[in-house]
Amino acid sequence: MPPRPRCVPAAPGRRRLLQALALGALSPLSACAPRRPVQGTFLQLWRSHLDLTPAQWAERIAACRRLGSREIFLQWVGLEGGRPDDWMAPDAVLGQIFDEAARHGMGVHVGLPYDQRWWNVLATPDDEALARYLVLTREQGLAYMRTAPWSARRNFRGWYLPYELEQYNWASAPRQALLWPWLDAFARAALDNSGRAPCISTYFSRLGGSGTLEQLWRGILDHARVHPMIQDGVGVAGLDNLKALEPLRRLLLARHAPFDLVIELFEELPSGSTDGSTFKARSADFERVRKQWLIADSYGAQRVVAFALDPWVIGDSPEARVLRQAWMRARA
């Protein structure tokens, strides 16, 4: 699942402002501009990216820098899981990304290979199967961290775990007991490897259930040193989704736990499916992005990260061109 005079009152007034923003009462701030645009962007690699030339990579990364991004979060470096569509980005391609990012003074976070069976395994009630799967993905991920050369790069900024966490599939105590040591293993390896806690995304699931994100993350923070990235969910659920995230935000601030806010630059289109299998979207209109900026400005996040400048802002669609032009005017 991205960030001008400051328009935020201090102390208790700030809390009231955040509550108003979460409820959609944004019009009073229409004349204000956020202090900063996004600091980073996700780059979700697909097999088609492997065909880009060095010049095309240079153009894309330069465009992200012009839009305000100082860091790139590679969603993953490849897909695995024993499927026909598995692939892995060659070191030469990843090296080009690092080189071009360095040319513009940008850092790179590297997402581990993503095992495509994640959601299918979570959907089964068999916790023993989940336990075996977590052992497998842990060993695969740790092996990549040990052997990949990226942590030695000057502009390496840390590891990203490409498995998103939500409260629906992790509501039960037995599952959380499996999750904690899994995350802790990655955290310890990342800290040994790079001195940085690994990042992992989290979001509010609209599926019903007894679990809450606040309760889930209370346990995670007690057992593993990981860096949460909160997806604002606006691309799918709209601005009201921020109300569902407020308990988690309050917990992280109370615990003084660093976190990022991921703002979504797309708008989901009707597809006739609710499981994401036929996901369709277009670039968001700038007014909604501007409101997300204003909310992010005082959210308390360490970084505001876009999902994603490529393709929703630097793409070739008419909607992306309109958003890009408005974005650049706002930055002028």
Side-chain angles (χ1 to χ4, degrees):
M1 322 180 257
R4 340 196 190 289
R6 191 181 181 102
C7 302
V8 181
R14 166 175 285 187
R15 288 195 295 273
R16 290 193 294 271
L17 173 65
L18 287 171
Q19 292 165 358
L21 292 179
L23 291 171
L26 300 165
S27 56
L29 294 179
S30 59
C32 300
R35 288 179 294 120
R36 56 189 180 175
V38 300
Q39 292 104 304
T41 181
F42 274 91
L43 176 57
Q44 191 171 44
L45 292 177
W46 298 106
R47 192 192 297 269
S48 58
H49 283 94
L50 307 186
D51 298 327
L52 295 180
T53 66
Q56 288 171 318
W57 275 119
E59 181 180 3
R60 287 179 184 231
I61 293 175
C64 290
R65 184 65 191 89
R66 286 194 299 271
L67 291 163
S69 179
R70 294 183 176 274
E71 296 181 272
I72 293 172
F73 288 78
L74 296 178
Q75 177 87 8
W76 48 56
V77 295
L79 304 181
E80 55 190 11
R83 296 184 178 181
D85 58 345
D86 286 356
W87 58 271
M88 192 65 61
D91 283 359
V93 170
L94 298 176
Q96 288 176 13
I97 295 173
F98 267 95
D99 291 344
E100 288 301 325
R103 200 182 315 278
H104 295 282
M106 300 171 69
V108 180
H109 301 251
V110 178
L112 299 178
Y114 173 65
D115 191 299
Q116 300 186 74
R117 295 168 292 184
W118 174 259
W119 294 112
N120 288 337
V121 174
L122 289 185
T124 177
D126 186 350
D127 286 352
E128 291 186 5
L130 174 60
R132 293 191 297 270
Y133 177 78
L134 291 178
V135 169
L136 174 64
T137 52
R138 181 193 67 204
E139 294 309 310
Q140 290 172 333
L142 295 182
Y144 185 86
M145 293 170 73
R146 286 193 299 268
T147 58
W150 313 123
S151 60
R153 290 276 190 147
R154 290 177 63 98
N155 59 334
F156 176 80
R157 295 293 180 267
W159 297 102
Y160 175 76
L161 308 180
Y163 301 99
E164 300 170 341
L165 301 177
E166 34 64 45
Q167 82 285 0
Y168 176 75
N169 283 297
W170 297 100
S172 73
R175 286 201 165 194
Q176 290 180 18
L178 294 174
L179 179 65
W180 296 334
W182 184 77
L183 290 172
D184 183 58
F186 283 120
R188 291 176 182 274
L191 289 165
D192 288 345
N193 177 274
S194 65
R196 302 170 186 265
C199 296
I200 187 166
S201 292
T202 189
Y203 71 95
F204 176 77
S205 173
R206 291 184 292 169
L207 296 174
S210 60
T212 69
L213 272 180
E214 179 187 15
Q215 189 273 334
L216 173 65
W217 274 95
R218 193 178 298 278
I220 291 173
L221 294 175
D222 286 343
H223 292 87
R225 188 177 165 189
V226 294
H227 184 101
M229 303 183 77
I230 303 177
Q231 298 176 12
D232 72 1
V234 170
V236 173
L239 285 162
D240 276 352
N241 198 64
L242 286 154
K243 290 186 289 187
L245 295 169
E246 186 62 14
L248 172 60
R249 188 187 76 89
R250 289 198 302 264
L251 168 68
L252 296 174
L253 291 175
R255 295 281 293 261
H256 302 288
F259 68 95
D260 300 328
L261 177 65
V262 181
I263 66 174
E264 297 176 345
L265 303 182
F266 61 85
E267 176 188 1
E268 185 179 22
L269 300 174
S271 65
S273 172
T274 59
D275 63 2
S277 60
T278 58
F279 178 79
K280 297 179 181 178
R282 65 187 174 196
S283 299
D285 65 81
F286 179 70
E287 180 58 18
R288 191 173 74 180
V289 171
R290 187 187 67 81
K291 290 176 180 178
Q292 289 170 269
W293 283 357
L294 291 170
I295 293 170
D297 208 32
S298 301
Y299 204 73
Q302 179 174 304
R303 289 173 296 229
V304 181
V305 182
F307 193 93
L309 295 178
D310 180 5
W312 305 117
V313 185
I314 69 173
D316 293 328
S317 71
E319 295 86 358
R321 289 195 293 270
V322 169
L323 178 55
R324 180 167 64 248
Q325 292 164 3
W327 188 302
M328 293 304 294
R329 286 196 299 270
R331 281 181 51 77

